[in-house]
Amino acid sequence: IYSSDELIRLDLCRRHLQALILSDIATPDGMYFDEAIVKGFPTSTSSRTTFHHFNQPSPPSRDWKLWSNAITIHFRAGHKSRKLKLPLGHWLQSIHQRHSIRPNYYNSSNRICYYHHDNPIQNPDDHPFKCVSFEDVQQVPLTAVPANHSAIHYSDAHQFKTKKTPKETSWTTYCKTLPSSTQETLSEVLELPDEDIIQLWH
């Protein structure tokens, strides 16, 4: 249980990171934390939001310590683990509809790697796949999925760790896949129709 002051301090850290949801501070496969952004120092390989911008300077170290402890207690699989306690599920929106973009995407249908022009791939001619630069995520095919930056040089397409985007899904359908304890926590929200959920999101 956190006091009002602690909740405000946690929110200052969240705002500084421009984070809205857990996937904003996780790796594309939804299995691990992006430790750089969790610690308040996002890199060129971190997720970036295109939906909003909080004008929030970096909070003091005591707030970051509180933030780190909260992440560990509630979301880490273990005290020193990079893994999420509960891995994230499938993407619910196409890459063109999400509020954040990733520096790298991989399209298995044509074996092409897409990389943001601000984060170029080193030695692209030596890369096992064709590499294409993009400035806007709208230039990336909908069939592409976010790829871990560390996997961008792997020689086997199956090495790319990604979260798959289902063809169709809904909030209600997704929630039914959650553990019963989580469903119980979200019981009031689960009763809302998808249209109301969308309104809450906006």
Side-chain angles (χ1 to χ4, degrees), residues 147-159:
N148 283 339
H149 182 77
S150 59
I152 209 69
H153 297 291
Y154 286 5
S155 59
D156 184 351
H158 297 290
Q159 296 285 352

Side-chain angles (χ1 to χ4, degrees), residues 7 15 17 21 39 44 58-59 75-76 80 83 85 98 102 108 134 150 153 165 171 178 185 200:
L7 290 174
R15 286 171 173 267
L17 298 177
I21 54 180
K39 294 177 180 176
S44 60
S58 180
F75 300 111
R76 289 192 189 276
K80 296 184 178 180
K83 275 191 172 184
K85 185 180 299 184
R98 296 171 199 162
R102 299 280 177 170
S108 60
F134 72 91
S150 59
H153 297 291
T165 303
W171 168 255
L178 298 173
T185 303
L200 285 175

Side-chain angles (χ1 to χ4, degrees), residues 113-127:
C113 297
Y114 297 87
Y115 62 93
H116 196 272
H117 69 100
D118 288 338
N119 188 42
I121 293 177
Q122 296 181 353
N123 303 317
D125 292 339
D126 298 331
H127 199 278

Side-chain angles (χ1 to χ4, degrees), residues 120-177:
I121 293 177
Q122 296 181 353
N123 303 317
D125 292 339
D126 298 331
H127 199 278
F129 310 110
K130 180 179 179 181
C131 300
V132 176
S133 172
F134 72 91
E135 294 185 21
D136 190 299
V137 73
Q138 299 293 329
Q139 298 172 307
V140 180
L142 287 172
T143 50
V145 291
N148 283 339
H149 182 77
S150 59
I152 209 69
H153 297 291
Y154 286 5
S155 59
D156 184 351
H158 297 290
Q159 296 285 352
F160 280 80
K161 303 298 184 181
T162 60
K163 287 201 308 177
K164 297 179 180 179
T165 303
K167 292 183 178 179
E168 293 185 10
T169 191
S170 68
W171 168 255
T172 303
T173 302
Y174 165 69
C175 288
K176 289 180 180 178
T177 67

Side-chain angles (χ1 to χ4, degrees), residues 90-102:
H90 293 305
W91 294 105
L92 300 179
Q93 296 175 313
S94 73
I95 58 175
H96 293 175
Q97 296 174 313
R98 296 171 199 162
H99 70 271
S100 61
I101 62 172
R102 299 280 177 170

Side-chain angles (χ1 to χ4, degrees), residues 43-76:
T43 67
S44 60
T45 63
S46 299
S47 170
R48 294 188 299 169
T49 181
T50 58
F51 186 67
H52 61 279
H53 180 77
F54 298 119
N55 185 19
Q56 176 59 56
S58 180
S61 58
R62 75 182 191 110
D63 293 351
W64 285 114
K65 184 176 181 180
L66 177 66
W67 166 267
S68 178
N69 288 339
I71 291 291
T72 298
I73 292 171
H74 300 291
F75 300 111
R76 289 192 189 276

